[in-house]
Amino acid sequence: MTTLPPPAVKKFPKDSIESRVYSIAEKFKEFIPIPNDRNRLGFNLYRFVKGEGDPPEILVSSTKIKIVGISKEELAQKIREELENKEENI
């Protein structure tokens, strides 16, 4: 019996909104050690940028991500600053 290879993963283009927002979540991997938590945060940030989701101050609590070495308020502020820096490109 053999195992099939995993399906190919198509990456977002570097100039897409998704790529930019997920890179913000990846930037905080020292504070959010679990990769799936960063993916969840990236998805919710994408929804926020599209006008469908909550702001970072609420997302940090509602996504139930594990945060290490920083308070929720500080992390939310850092995320907000990153969004404002990238906002002109999004």
Side-chain angles (χ1 to χ4, degrees):
M1 184 174 185
T2 61
T3 303
L4 296 174
V9 176
K10 185 177 178 184
K11 299 278 185 178
F12 293 115
K14 292 207 181 265
D15 60 340
S16 69
I17 295 171
E18 294 90 347
S19 178
R20 292 177 185 160
V21 173
Y22 277 89
S23 71
I24 291 172
E26 271 306 306
K27 186 176 273 191
F28 297 109
K29 65 182 172 184
E30 67 181 274
F31 303 123
I32 307 169
I34 301 172
N36 195 39
D37 285 351
R38 292 191 302 270
N39 286 336
R40 189 177 321 118
L41 178 63
F43 173 74
N44 283 289
L45 287 174
Y46 171 74
R47 290 186 62 215
F48 171 68
V49 169
K50 295 299 268 182
E52 300 172 359
D54 295 323
E57 294 78 17
I58 295 173
L59 286 179
V60 171
S61 294
S62 67
T63 55
K64 298 180 182 176
I65 56 177
K66 180 179 179 180
I67 300 171
V68 177
I70 192 171
S71 71
K72 290 181 179 183
E73 294 79 17
E74 290 174 326
L75 181 60
Q77 179 62 32
K78 288 180 180 281
I79 292 170
R80 173 68 76 175
E81 290 170 1
E82 286 294 322
L83 284 172
E84 289 171 357
N85 289 341
K86 294 201 178 221
E87 193 172 79
E88 66 231 14
N89 297 328
I90 294 179

